Amino acid sequence: MMLSSINNSFEQDTHDVDANCDGPDLDFVYADVDSYQNEIAELYSYTEFSEFQMNVKAFEDQMELYDLPPNWQKQDASSQRSIVMKLVDQLEVSDRSFRMQAARCILYLAQGCWAEVQSDEEQHQNTRDNVIVLYELGVFSSFIDLLNMEIETACSPDIVAVKITNVTLVDSTDIRVILSVLYIITETIRDEREKGSEDYKQLAESFVQEINSPLPDGELLAVKLLGMITRFCSGAAPQFPMKKVVLLLWKVSLLGLGGMEVLKNLKNEYRAKVGLEPITEDTLEVTKCMRASSPPATATDILENQYPKRNFKRSLMKQRFLDEPEQIDMEMSGNEGGTNANNGNSSTGSGSGNGEDELSQYYRPFDDPSASTSGNSNNSTASANPNNQPSNMQPPATVPAVQITPRLPWTPKVRQKDIDQFLDISRNKFIGYSLIGDHESLAGLPQPIHEGFKTLQRHMYVSLADVQIKKEEDIARNPISTHEDEIKLTPAEILYQAILPNLPQYMIALLKVLLAASPTSKSKTESINIMADVLPKKMPLTATQSTKLTVDMGRHKEIIVKAVSAIILLYLKHFKINHVYQFEFMSQHLVFANCIPLVLKFFNQTITEYVNTKNSIPLLDFPSCVIGEQPDLSGDSFVYGGEMSDKPYSWRNVFSCINLLRILNKLIKWKHSRVMMLVVFKSAPILKKTLKVRHAMMQLYVLKLLKMQTKYLGRQWRKSNMKTLSAIYAKVRHRLNDDWAFGNDLESRPWDFQAEECTLRACVDRFNLRRYPEATQKCGAGGGVGSGNNGTAAQNAENAQQSNMHAGNGSGDRDSNGYGNNGGSGGGGVGNNSSGQQNQQLHDYGVEGGFPSDEILTHSDFAFFGHSGWWDRKVELTDYFKANYAVWLEEEVYNSQTDWDAL
């Protein structure tokens, strides 16, 4: 396989990354989900093969009971609906075996009556038709009721005491049947809705409305599934089949909230409401036009490049060779010199002396801007990139072909904060004083500064988050006079309100499952057993069976990583659009639960091997395993089954890697304290190894993470990694005035990063307490995981950050990667301090139950209470406050001079 040879070429990686990787780009296309057939096949483990026959047997027995022939396709429409109605009634009987027989019959119908067909297409069509009937007759809501019963039964103390020591596939038989039916209905409706099927149009709208509405018990389905994950991680229900739970949670959330297209439309809609321009550049679309870069060269390769030999690798050619059209044609598939041929920019390339040769490896620049419209430019555009024009390029029809010049893939951006800093520095330099709050005055400044200011203003970008934060600051400053818009109950808003009381527990549970499924985690450190729904009761005896089980276990882990990473990313993106402080609240809990080192630990492996690994046997995937004549899976046929795929990579593994990189970017972007965590955990070598995967989108997110921390890594690191810096220049969006490569700006200096995190936490808490007072109080006062994580005291966030920093150095009882494991749900994070210690720290600082007491109330807190009607709340004064009341009066009231004008 191509990636195997690529991986072998990186064995001696000692400097940057080996440059002798000339393999083709991965043809992976990032999307919300894989194909429908693959998503359904991943629902079942290979060890569940025998249960397919149990479904057929249950259906035949049930048909015999009804005195009907055991053939679903021979029944007319009215007869089919009558049978389904009888089965739904049977789901409500008290006899468990009789009830589960009806459930298996319905599962067989949802699986497309595979015993009656001869091809996968027939089976898919049957599933499509049957799901309509099943949903219209209330099967989905009936199975939700069955799920509730199974959850209550599974969590009873007697069951847990018996099963906690040895859980196998048999212990989760019934609940797997229920989850499988729910998943097939959800995934089929999602797929048909995405295709725009007319038959499913009304049904899909009704279904989306149902999953976004509370169930009869008042919970959302997504919250119920999150609760199952939390109980599983706490040890209360070790037999829950985690793979099926997280897959169903992912698809329910994806259908209820919306995928990438919905996110893009929502973002532009919300921006239009606050008077902002719509987004014209979409990251996913632009990266489709990019080509992956060959990994940077080692020092030896660079020396050889200065003295060219006749037959050395073309990927190391200087720019003078790339100018020849025939050379470019030869290197279209593997040479990084042709990468992004449409995004060269002379101003960028000439910015640093010897950077021009480096930049020529990523896009085709030119030495003389005045000569850029000569024949070479035309050849570059025509040969190196015939149809990969980024969305932000001028249409070629309006510009003569001879005048088209290469450009960077992104339009540069600048923040208002950067413009203010530019003006402040210029005023101090040329005038000698600053104008606080003045964003436009240019009096006394020279003409070049005027031109620079106009350029910055043309590229200024105001994000939706900036507007939302400004609105929150206005409300905190003037709580009575500032009008707050009515909270619109969007799907994201409904979900946030539902998970807010237990959000810390949910985040820690998801990360625990992700950690257990990570290929770099060691079995001795796992506190939970995610293999409970894979391991059979009798272990395999033959070599073939052992190999099949090994493949099944690896596949099981990969699917869990894929689902959990997609869930976290989906929630982060929707919360960020809905309100930035909802996103920040979830982000902080992920950071406090050690999400950053967890993701880095995941990538601390031979990532090309992980991307190339195919833990799958296509002959055993559903429905291939039950339709048609089955081959003997032994010897050659078994080996052949593992190599049937025509792609040199695993779709789900590439998908998981990109998701985790995007999560890491979202957690760290513009957070200098978290960027420092990347530096402390020595993430640069780990991230650079990920550049070996030749996929433009994955490389883009890796380069973004490297760009964030470059200023903190020192001059020597930058000197020895110039290829990486060149890739960042060529691929990542330029932020005007961002001195990321040299570290000369003020933000690169060691400020008090804990204070930054605590300030953000205070703003988030104020937002939550104002908008969701009851849910936030429950979140602070609730027991279990993370119960001490919601106080407003600065010490809480500081302790969490210090815990994370210490984790990176392997201190305490953690393993070498900085991970300890607290059994159950009592841990404050994935390897964090215990919640009891945090509760004690909160108590010492006057925070009881996550609610600020009188000792630490600030003026903004009082403003908040007045605005939200919390003055009626009875507050118990602590003994410490009562004992020192006279001192408090003397210092804070009598001796305090208030400047009423300033106030």
Side-chain angles (χ1 to χ4, degrees):
M1 296 244 187
M2 181 60 67
L3 281 180
S4 298
S5 61
I6 290 175
N7 186 51
N8 293 335
S9 68
F10 293 124
E11 301 255 336
Q12 305 297 327
D13 177 23
T14 56
H15 290 77
D16 220 28
V17 188
D18 197 338
N20 295 324
C21 171
D22 253 350
D25 294 0
L26 299 184
D27 61 348
F28 172 86
V29 178
Y30 186 82
D32 286 320
V33 294
D34 201 352
S35 66
Y36 173 80
Q37 291 76 13
N38 289 342
E39 293 293 342
I40 291 294
E42 289 178 352
L43 174 65
Y44 309 103
S45 300
Y46 296 151
T47 48
E48 294 180 71
F49 175 76
S50 61
E51 297 185 13
F52 291 122
Q53 302 300 328
M54 296 171 61
N55 300 339
V56 180
K57 183 68 167 58
F59 176 74
E60 292 174 348
D61 293 345
Q62 202 67 33
M63 291 299 100
E64 184 179 348
L65 190 65
Y66 297 153
D67 291 328
L68 293 171
N71 192 312
W72 181 255
Q73 291 179 308
K74 290 183 179 180
Q75 309 295 328
D76 56 24
S78 61
S79 177
Q80 289 179 352
R81 297 178 75 89
S82 175
I83 293 171
V84 172
M85 292 176 68
K86 290 178 182 178
L87 291 174
V88 171
D89 291 339
Q90 190 172 324
L91 293 174
E92 299 177 1
V93 300
S94 58
D95 188 335
R96 183 184 184 87
S97 60
F98 201 49
R99 191 170 65 234
M100 292 312 300
Q101 180 173 326
R104 283 199 175 276
C105 286
I106 292 175
L107 176 56
Y108 175 71
L109 298 180
Q111 289 173 342
C113 303
W114 48 264
E116 304 172 17
V117 300
Q118 297 299 319
S119 68
D120 294 359
E121 290 75 16
E122 289 182 68
Q123 178 269 335
H124 183 202
Q125 185 60 39
N126 284 348
T127 295
R128 185 181 180 280
D129 296 337
N130 292 345
V131 164
I132 295 178
V133 177
L134 294 176
Y135 181 72
E136 288 179 347
L137 296 179
V139 168
F140 191 83
S141 56
S142 297
F143 269 73
I144 294 294
D145 295 336
L146 281 181
L147 182 63
N148 287 331
M149 293 171 59
E150 288 297 324
I151 291 173
E152 292 175 4
T153 303
C155 294
S156 62
D158 296 336
I159 299 293
V160 173
V162 172
K163 297 184 178 180
I164 197 167
T165 55
N166 187 20
V167 183
T168 63
L169 192 68
V170 179
D171 300 312
S172 59
T173 302
D174 293 345
I175 197 168
R176 280 188 288 107
V177 171
I178 297 168
L179 291 170
S180 295
V181 172
L182 294 174
Y183 180 84
I184 293 172
I185 292 175
T186 303
E187 174 60 13
T188 303
I189 293 176
R190 186 208 61 78
D191 182 63
E192 293 296 330
R193 186 187 189 218
E194 190 174 282
K195 292 177 180 176
S197 174
E198 288 296 327
D199 298 346
Y200 272 80
K201 188 174 182 180
Q202 294 293 334
L203 183 143
E205 291 177 0
S206 173
F207 184 72
V208 170
Q209 187 175 359
E210 180 178 347
I211 61 178
N212 283 331
S213 303
L215 300 172
D217 58 2
E219 271 189 333
L220 287 177
L221 177 57
V223 175
K224 188 175 294 296
L225 295 171
L226 284 166
M228 290 180 69
I229 299 174
T230 305
R231 292 185 182 187
F232 173 82
C233 291
S234 68
Q239 71 274 32
F240 280 168
M242 266 305 98
K243 185 183 78 173
K244 286 182 168 57
V245 173
V246 294
L247 280 174
L248 179 57
L249 173 61
W250 173 31
K251 295 305 170 62
V252 165
S253 301
L254 181 61
L255 190 55
L257 297 174
M260 294 186 294
E261 196 63 32
V262 173
L263 279 164
K264 185 165 63 173
N265 295 335
L266 279 176
K267 189 170 187 178
N268 285 332
E269 178 187 335
Y270 289 172
R271 286 179 63 84
K273 285 182 179 178
V274 295
L276 298 177
E277 293 291 326
I279 299 294
T280 57
E281 292 177 335
D282 181 60
T283 304
L284 304 179
E285 293 301 321
V286 175
T287 51
K288 287 178 184 177
C289 301
M290 287 184 178
R291 298 221 332 268
S293 303
S294 294
T298 61
T300 304
D301 296 320
I302 294 173
L303 289 174
E304 290 179 356
N305 193 24
Q306 295 175 359
Y307 304 97
K309 299 178 183 178
R310 291 188 62 182
N311 295 320
F312 75 110
K313 288 287 183 181
R314 285 194 175 90
S315 62
L316 296 178
M317 282 185 176
K318 290 278 192 174
Q319 178 186 350
R320 60 181 179 274
F321 295 117
L322 296 179
D323 281 343
E324 301 174 18
E326 59 272 16
Q327 292 283 0
I328 296 175
D329 290 335
M330 292 172 61
E331 297 174 14
M332 277 292 293
S333 62
N335 185 11
E336 73 177 328
T339 303
N340 296 332
N342 59 333
N343 50 353
N345 191 324
S346 60
S347 61
T348 308
S350 59
S352 59
N354 61 354
E356 294 179 3
D357 290 332
E358 306 292 339
L359 290 168
S360 69
Q361 304 294 327
Y362 301 94
Y363 60 91
R364 191 174 177 278
F366 38 83
D367 295 328
D368 183 6
S370 63
S372 62
T373 58
S374 62
N376 282 348
S377 176
N378 187 27
N379 288 335
S380 167
T381 306
S383 302
N385 199 0
N387 55 7
N388 287 345
Q389 299 294 337
S391 59
N392 63 328
M393 285 200 65
Q394 297 296 329
T398 61
V399 182
V402 178
Q403 297 180 359
I404 295 178
T405 58
R407 292 182 56 184
L408 291 168
W410 308 98
T411 302
K413 288 182 180 178
V414 65
R415 297 178 296 171
Q416 181 64 53
K417 175 183 176 183
D418 300 323
I419 297 179
D420 293 343
Q421 187 178 6
F422 171 76
L423 284 177
D424 193 48
I425 294 174
S426 300
R427 287 166 180 160
N428 284 324
K429 180 178 180 181
F430 292 104
I431 304 176
Y433 64 90
S434 59
L435 301 174
I436 299 175
D438 188 324
H439 307 297
E440 296 181 356
S441 177
L442 299 174
L445 298 177
Q447 186 61 29
I449 300 297
H450 289 225
E451 295 175 1
F453 175 73
K454 291 176 182 177
T455 302
L456 292 176
Q457 278 199 321
R458 278 200 310 271
H459 292 87
M460 190 176 77
Y461 174 76
V462 180
S463 67
L464 188 61
D466 294 336
V467 177
Q468 293 170 343
I469 290 172
K470 188 175 185 305
K471 180 74 172 177
E472 288 300 316
E473 290 174 350
D474 292 342
I475 292 174
R477 192 180 301 110
N478 306 303
I480 298 176
S481 61
T482 304
H483 171 71
E484 183 176 7
D485 298 331
E486 183 180 355
I487 301 174
K488 187 178 180 181
L489 290 179
T490 61
E493 183 68 31
I494 293 170
L495 177 66
Y496 183 77
Q497 292 184 18
I499 69 174
L500 178 58
N502 300 304
L503 189 139
Q505 294 95 307
Y506 297 152
M507 294 303 104
I508 291 170
L510 286 172
L511 291 182
K512 280 190 173 183
V513 172
L514 182 61
L515 174 62
S518 172
T520 55
S521 67
K522 300 175 183 177
S523 58
K524 66 179 181 180
T525 63
E526 292 180 7
S527 59
I528 55 177
N529 178 23
I530 59 170
M531 293 296 170
D533 51 328
V534 177
L535 297 175
K537 194 168 186 178
K538 295 181 180 179
M539 297 306 291
L541 301 177
T542 66
T544 300
Q545 291 175 341
S546 298
T547 304
K548 188 175 80 170
L549 181 59
T550 302
V551 171
D552 200 8
M553 292 173 67
R555 174 177 178 266
H556 185 81
K557 284 187 171 185
E558 290 173 2
I559 294 169
I560 289 178
V561 172
K562 167 187 169 182
V564 173
S565 63
I567 291 167
I568 295 175
L569 179 62
L570 188 69
Y571 286 1
L572 285 173
K573 289 185 73 65
H574 274 279
F575 288 158
K576 187 169 186 179
I577 292 176
N578 197 57
H579 199 288
V580 64
Y581 280 154
Q582 295 176 350
F583 161 80
E584 296 292 0
F585 185 62
M586 178 176 171
S587 297
Q588 282 205 322
H589 280 292
L590 287 171
V591 172
F592 292 162
N594 282 344
C595 182
I596 293 175
L598 191 158
V599 174
L600 293 176
K601 179 177 181 179
F602 177 89
F603 283 103
N604 191 21
Q605 58 175 312
T606 308
I607 200 67
T608 48
E609 282 186 6
Y610 182 74
V611 166
N612 186 40
T613 300
K614 292 192 189 64
N615 283 316
S616 62
I617 307 172
L619 294 176
L620 293 180
D621 286 340
F622 180 85
S624 301
C625 61
V626 291
I627 295 178
E629 185 178 352
Q630 299 303 309
D632 180 23
L633 286 181
S634 61
D636 295 338
S637 64
F638 183 81
V639 176
Y640 173 73
E643 298 180 350
M644 285 178 63
S645 175
D646 58 343
K647 296 181 179 179
Y649 61 89
S650 168
W651 195 97
R652 61 173 167 263
N653 289 353
V654 181
F655 179 77
S656 301
C657 290
I658 293 177
N659 284 344
L660 291 171
L661 288 170
R662 295 182 73 186
I663 290 169
L664 207 56
N665 269 280
K666 288 200 167 295
L667 294 182
I668 294 173
K669 188 176 181 181
W670 303 123
K671 305 291 190 303
H672 301 291
S673 57
R674 299 174 192 176
V675 173
M676 287 304 298
M677 291 178 67
L678 282 184
V679 179
V680 168
F681 290 127
K682 300 179 181 177
S683 64
I686 298 172
L687 293 171
K688 281 195 299 176
K689 286 193 296 184
T690 310
L691 291 174
K692 297 175 184 178
V693 180
R694 287 184 58 86
H695 187 265
M697 188 174 183
M698 187 183 296
Q699 289 183 349
L700 173 66
Y701 287 109
V702 173
L703 293 172
K704 282 185 175 183
L705 290 168
L706 288 171
K707 178 181 178 180
M708 294 176 193
Q709 56 182 310
T710 299
K711 67 177 78 171
Y712 303 108
L713 295 176
R715 182 177 300 174
Q716 186 59 42
W717 185 92
R718 294 194 288 271
K719 283 178 63 178
S720 58
N721 290 276
M722 284 306 298
K723 287 280 186 178
T724 303
L725 297 187
S726 299
I728 294 172
Y729 268 114
K731 301 250 175 155
V732 183
R733 186 191 301 276
H734 287 248
R735 293 275 177 174
L736 303 181
N737 285 9
D738 183 10
D739 199 14
W740 63 269
F742 305 102
N744 296 324
D745 62 78
L746 299 176
E747 291 180 345
S748 67
R749 299 178 186 177
W751 303 122
D752 184 5
F753 291 131
Q754 262 106 28
E756 177 190 40
E757 201 76 38
C758 294
T759 302
L760 175 61
R761 186 57 180 273
C763 295
V764 173
D765 285 344
R766 187 180 299 114
F767 165 79
N768 282 332
L769 284 164
R770 191 189 76 251
R771 286 180 57 157
Y772 323 107
E774 294 181 3
T776 307
Q777 191 178 12
K778 289 178 184 177
C779 182
V785 184
S787 60
N789 282 348
N790 287 299
T792 56
Q795 184 70 13
N796 185 26
E798 183 176 348
N799 288 335
Q801 288 285 61
Q802 289 176 351
S803 173
N804 285 339
M805 293 296 187
H806 293 159
N809 297 323
S811 60
D813 296 328
R814 295 171 173 80
D815 62 21
S816 60
N817 289 290
Y819 282 86
N821 283 283
N822 298 324
S825 62
V830 186
N832 253 359
N833 294 332
S834 66
S835 58
Q837 292 175 334
Q838 291 179 343
N839 279 329
Q840 182 60 43
Q841 291 163 351
L842 291 178
H843 180 77
D844 294 341
Y845 277 79
V847 182
E848 299 174 350
F851 197 87
S853 67
D854 292 54
E855 289 179 270
I856 60 168
L857 283 178
T858 62
H859 291 289
S860 59
D861 290 318
F862 277 106
F864 151 70
F865 288 125
H867 188 54
S868 300
W870 275 83
W871 280 113
D872 297 334
R873 181 179 184 272
K874 295 182 180 179
V875 179
E876 289 292 332
L877 300 177
T878 62
D879 293 337
Y880 176 83
F881 182 80
K882 293 176 182 178
N884 296 277
Y885 180 64
V887 178
W888 178 81
L889 279 176
E890 188 70 27
E891 294 181 355
E892 300 295 333
V893 181
Y894 302 143
N895 295 337
S896 178
Q897 300 296 324
T898 303
D899 187 348
W900 296 105
D901 294 331
L903 185 61

